[in-house]
Amino acid sequence: MRQTAPDGRGPVRYGPPAPDIGLPVLPGLAALLAAAAGRAAAEPPGGGPVLREAASGYWWRRGLRTHAEDVVAAPGAPTLLLALIAAHGGDVLLPRPCPAWWAPQVRLLGRPAYHVPTPAECGGVPDPYALLETVRRVRAEGGDPRVLLLSVADDPTATVAPPELVREACEAAVAEGLHVVSDETWRDTLHHPQDTVLLSPAEMCPDDVTVLTDLSGALAPAAWPCAVARFPPTGPSRADRWTDRRARTLDVLTALGAVVTGPVAPAAAHALDEPEDVIVRARRAAALHGRIAAAAHRAVLAAGALSRPPRAGRHLYVDLGPLREGLAARGVTDSLELEQHLTHRLGAPAPGGHRFGDELGALRVRWGTGMFLGATEEERTETLTVPDPEELPHVARALKEFGEALEELR
């Protein structure tokens, strides 16, 4: 059933937003934005030198050799991904499930998009053998696969792909002539960074991977749209504009008028420089959402549903298939009806798995952990500052109501 009524459930026009951090804006970032409020000029297409230098430093600190000329900035990840896909041409391969905003960008360009299953242990990265079989099948049917999108730290599954899987998937993609676009928006939201190994595809295949990062993942508010892309280091191909993907991406952004706003640029550059206040907030927020996600995960398992343990991000992806009988008794037989029922029951967004590329009949749903942090700014701030946030009355109450909503489906 395809529903496009103006109630927030259309497949493209009303896609669910990424999980919000649910915390007040850092005072230092707010001050920078306020100081630049009188800046009338926007950044040039692709970002000005200060913003691009800050982005290159961000990637240098993560072991990726990057210079300002390898970077492009845009007002948000969807716009930047649209330009990247347009610059590369061909059909696009996506893991199943994948972020809700990926497929719409492909469809807006009129390109075919093919979903590839992910392995049992994680989402975000396709199973290498399934990837090779999908490429073979698409080509046999006359298709032209050229781009693979993946996310090592994943939305919606909140998992982190093991390095060996990332290596095998990227090697398979490159061997088949695919360019890899790695969405690393959530790489700085690891719940237990000391126990989790996150390896960027760009570390393994430096000439065949473009890295995309939206600052709303960990560094800046979602209301200040800014995303950056790191292209493979400058090479001889830059002499040919038609084979220079960065130049073609800039052409698309220029044609769209997609530029970072003047007041946002200084704050975004400051966040990418990662001063102490930004780093401390990012780490505390990741740890907070990790604790809340773990508590919600325990409630999910106690109710008899299934979910991979969350390792990153501010969300939880749940398979309510084991509760199908109880859901059917309430008139819920697919993920669209599941989304409607749970959103109404909990009073918080519960986008169904169909939005992330899963089958409509699969009873899957994603919850953001921000709904447990509190209803006011004071409550959310308190949640960030205490050692045991799940024991705060407003958090414990929200978790209890969440568990009860799941238990009643049994």
Side-chain angles (χ1 to χ4, degrees):
M1 178 173 66
R2 181 172 174 141
Q3 185 171 7
T4 56
D7 58 359
R9 297 186 179 87
V12 174
R13 191 174 301 169
Y14 303 102
D20 186 68
I21 194 169
L23 297 170
V25 177
L26 274 174
L29 291 181
L32 282 169
L33 185 73
R39 182 179 173 186
E43 292 281 285
V50 174
L51 180 56
R52 290 186 289 109
E53 282 288 352
S56 65
Y58 169 87
W59 278 305
W60 269 108
R61 290 188 294 275
R62 285 153 180 79
L64 297 176
R65 181 173 67 88
T66 311
H67 300 285
E69 59 268 24
D70 304 320
V71 175
V72 164
T79 303
L80 189 48
L81 180 63
L82 182 76
L84 285 170
I85 296 171
H88 281 86
D91 303 344
V92 180
L93 302 182
L94 317 167
R96 171 174 282 142
C98 69
W101 57 274
W102 282 6
Q105 310 307 313
V106 182
R107 288 197 297 265
L108 285 172
L109 291 169
R111 304 278 180 78
Y114 300 94
H115 285 279
V116 184
T118 54
E121 65 265 33
C122 69
V125 177
D127 177 88
Y129 297 102
L131 174 63
L132 292 172
E133 175 58 24
T134 303
V135 170
R136 183 203 64 78
R137 175 176 54 81
V138 170
R139 286 177 176 158
E141 295 173 354
D144 182 24
R146 294 192 194 178
V147 177
L148 169 65
L149 303 184
L150 54 77
S151 53
V152 179
D154 184 45
D155 172 23
T157 64
T159 58
V160 177
E164 58 272 17
L165 173 64
V166 179
R167 177 181 58 80
E168 292 171 2
C170 290
E171 288 179 350
V174 171
E176 292 296 329
L178 305 180
H179 186 80
V180 177
V181 176
S182 176
D183 181 0
E184 299 182 10
T185 295
W186 302 101
R187 70 167 298 154
D188 297 317
T189 66
L190 301 183
H191 299 165
H192 304 284
Q194 67 279 8
D195 300 325
T196 307
V197 179
L198 187 151
L199 194 62
S200 171
E203 298 179 61
M204 304 178 186
C205 307
D207 298 328
D208 300 287
V209 176
T210 298
V211 179
L212 170 68
T213 297
D214 195 310
L215 272 65
S216 66
L219 301 179
W224 305 355
C226 184
V228 288
R230 175 199 179 270
F231 289 78
T234 304
S237 65
R238 290 282 171 89
D240 182 357
R241 187 173 186 81
W242 296 105
T243 60
D244 181 357
R245 306 305 183 191
R246 180 180 181 274
R248 295 183 67 182
T249 300
L250 283 172
D251 288 342
V252 176
L253 293 174
T254 302
L256 294 174
V259 295
V260 178
T261 61
V264 166
H270 181 76
L272 285 165
D273 283 335
E274 298 181 295
E276 184 177 1
D277 61 334
V278 172
I279 287 293
V280 169
R281 163 60 73 84
R283 290 173 179 168
R284 287 181 177 174
L288 166 63
H289 283 279
R291 290 184 69 110
I292 300 299
H297 183 255
R298 290 192 292 270
V300 165
L301 298 184
L306 302 174
S307 175
R308 297 184 180 102
R311 303 297 185 198
R314 304 186 285 265
H315 46 281
L316 189 68
Y317 199 57
V318 178
D319 184 354
L320 294 170
L323 308 182
R324 185 176 295 274
E325 184 176 341
L327 286 165
R330 290 165 174 77
V332 177
T333 59
D334 61 31
S335 64
L336 181 58
E337 294 168 346
L338 181 67
E339 174 181 305
Q340 295 170 332
H341 175 78
L342 291 174
T343 298
H344 176 74
R345 172 64 178 81
L346 290 168
H354 61 286
R355 296 183 179 272
F356 307 100
D358 268 330
E359 298 293 336
L360 185 63
L363 296 174
R364 298 188 182 120
V365 64
R366 186 197 71 185
W367 276 291
T369 49
M371 70 180 188
F372 300 106
L373 301 188
T376 67
E377 183 171 313
E378 291 74 17
E379 287 182 343
R380 294 191 293 270
T381 300
E382 182 185 15
T383 305
L384 181 66
T385 56
V386 300
D388 299 307
E390 61 270 33
E391 296 181 6
L392 288 172
H394 62 273
V395 177
R397 182 170 58 252
L399 286 168
K400 182 175 182 291
E401 292 173 356
F402 176 73
E404 289 173 349
L406 294 177
E407 289 286 347
E408 69 186 27
L409 300 177
R410 301 181 71 171

